[in-house]
């Protein structure tokens, strides 16, 4: 996969693109990561990327010309089978989810556009980008951190990027549920013990325990994720047990 990021602050990506799993994926040639400073595509003597908003008001607005030219320079020069998705990072966009990460991980080329200042000229939104993504209902100063979040979660899904392929499969959200609790050595730490079942060596029982913990954890922390889901027989049983236990507690 090739990923290009349009940003006014390419230095912000240096650490993220060269460290940990992303850095290794880049070194192994599993993902190509580039930053493009769209200020390089300005034509005026002050290299202006933003201007005052028409109609007045505070804050500056990103001009369309440098961003259009920067993106077009890529789409003209990079030959991909399909046109790349051009993703605008934006608090008004579709909320980013694991499902979206999975969808984007199937593309061969992604272009991210990071804003700064108050906003974008609306023509960028309407005529340049194919997607608008938000990482949550809060406002950051720029699109760089949100783009890093999206790129990290997409890149780790690419074949070969995670050493242990199964770990992405059991991750929270990939299964539609939150992940079950995990333990490692020591068996006993300050009087806190690893559940016996995990030490039993009985794989079938361990699998059932994990499925149950995963379901109960989702029920307790993120009941919204279970809405509209058809529960299996075992999940219905676990839910009834849980409700009986919790109603009992409420009445005490
Ligand atoms: C200060 S924000 C602009 C917010 C804009 N005035 C609005 O109300 O929608 C500057 C830039 O940060 C990025 N940004 C801020 N919060 C974000 C979020 N939750 N998700 C994605 N990008 C975000 C976007 O690239 C945005 O253009």
């Amino acid at each position: 996969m090739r990923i290009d990021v349009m940003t006014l602050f390419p230095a912000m990506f240096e650490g993220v693109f060269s460290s940990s799993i992303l850095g290794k994926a880049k070194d192994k040639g599993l993902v190509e990561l580039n930053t493009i400073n769209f200020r390089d595509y300005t034509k005026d003597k002050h290299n202006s990327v933003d201007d005052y908003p028409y109609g007045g008001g505070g804050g500056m607005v990103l001009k369309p010309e440098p961003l259009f030219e920067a993106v077009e320079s890529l789409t003209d020069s990079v030959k991909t089978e399909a046109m790349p998705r051009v993703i605008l990072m934006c608090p008004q966009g579709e909320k980013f989810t694991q499902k979206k990460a999975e969808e984007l991980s199937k593309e061969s080329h992604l272009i991210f556009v990071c804003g700064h200042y108050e906003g974008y000229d609306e023509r960028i939104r309407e005529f340049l980008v194919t997607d608008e993504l938000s990482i949550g209902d809060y406002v950051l100063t720029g699109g760089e951190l949100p783009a890093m979040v999206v790129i990290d979660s997409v890149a780790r899904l690419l074949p070969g990027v995670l050493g242990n392929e199964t770990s992405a499969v059991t991750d929270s959200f990939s299964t539609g549920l939150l992940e079950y609790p995990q333990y490692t050595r020591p068996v006993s730490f300050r009087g806190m013990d690893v559940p016996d079942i995990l030490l039993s060596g009985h794989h079938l029982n361990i699998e059932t325990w994990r499925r149950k913990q995963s379901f109960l954890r989702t029920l307790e922390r993120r009941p919204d994720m279970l809405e509209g889901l058809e529960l299996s027989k075992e999940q219905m049983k676990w839910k009834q047990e849980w409700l009986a236990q919790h109603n009992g507690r409420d009445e005490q």
Side-chain angles (χ1 to χ4, degrees):
M1 174 184 273
R2 175 180 170 140
I3 296 179
D4 293 290
V5 185
M6 302 289 159
T7 171
L8 295 172
F9 301 93
M12 286 179 75
F13 290 85
E14 282 167 15
V16 172
F17 282 180
S18 59
S19 314
S20 183
I21 298 213
L22 268 187
K24 281 194 196 135
K26 192 178 171 187
D27 292 345
K28 283 199 233 163
L30 299 170
V31 61
E32 183 185 336
L33 301 165
N34 307 305
T35 49
I36 291 126
N37 189 336
F38 55 91
R39 196 180 290 283
D40 294 343
Y41 290 82
T42 52
K43 297 213 166 93
D44 64 313
K45 65 175 179 188
H46 300 294
N47 299 117
S48 335
V49 288
D50 58 343
D51 210 334
Y52 295 101
Y54 276 124
M60 300 296 274
V61 175
L62 281 178
K63 291 158 66 64
E65 310 95 302
L67 267 173
F68 269 77
E69 297 218 359
V71 170
E72 282 161 5
S73 76
L74 282 179
T75 47
D76 288 348
S77 65
V78 178
K79 296 264 174 293
T80 45
E81 278 171 29
M83 282 300 285
R85 303 266 284 263
V86 182
I87 303 166
L88 183 73
M89 299 317 301
C90 151
Q92 302 173 20
E94 174 188 343
K95 206 175 283 177
F96 184 60
T97 58
Q98 186 64 21
K99 203 160 165 247
K100 197 78 189 170
E102 282 160 17
E103 179 193 318
L104 294 177
S105 71
K106 303 201 168 71
E107 300 284 337
S108 55
H109 185 192
L110 299 173
I111 300 176
F112 287 85
V113 177
C114 305
H116 239 88
Y117 315 109
E118 189 50 32
Y120 307 100
D121 184 288
E122 192 66 15
R123 289 165 288 191
I124 295 170
R125 203 189 286 285
E126 279 182 36
F127 302 111
L128 182 65
V129 307
T130 57
D131 300 73
E132 295 184 35
L133 285 184
S134 162
I135 60 160
D137 290 347
Y138 43 84
V139 178
L140 297 152
T141 50
E144 285 74 14
L145 292 171
M148 288 176 206
V149 167
V150 175
I151 292 167
D152 185 277
S153 68
V154 169
R156 69 192 290 284
L157 296 175
L158 299 177
V161 169
L162 292 184
N164 177 1
E165 293 288 343
T166 54
S167 62
V169 175
T170 59
D171 273 342
S172 297
F173 309 110
S174 298
T175 56
L177 299 175
L178 299 179
E179 196 177 43
Y180 48 79
Q182 302 265 32
Y183 293 86
T184 186
R185 280 179 280 191
V187 165
S188 189
F189 170 65
R190 298 185 181 174
M192 298 175 276
D193 296 336
V194 173
D196 288 339
I197 182 102
L198 296 178
L199 310 172
S200 67
H202 193 302
H203 296 300
L204 206 68
N205 288 353
I206 293 174
E207 276 313 304
T208 309
W209 181 85
R210 285 183 166 162
R211 278 203 310 279
K212 181 174 179 182
Q213 295 303 316
S214 182
F215 174 74
L216 290 180
R217 186 159 275 207
T218 312
L219 186 67
E220 280 169 9
R221 298 182 183 198
R222 292 291 305 274
D224 58 297
M225 286 171 65
L226 299 175
E227 276 165 25
L229 207 76
E230 202 176 319
L231 299 187
S232 66
K233 267 193 184 158
E234 66 175 9
Q235 288 175 331
M236 280 197 297
K237 182 173 146 263
W238 294 332
K239 185 175 176 180
Q240 272 156 10
E241 284 169 7
W242 185 86
L243 285 173
Q245 215 181 4
H246 285 76
N247 289 339
R249 248 190 233 161
D250 288 347
E251 282 159 20
Q252 278 169 16

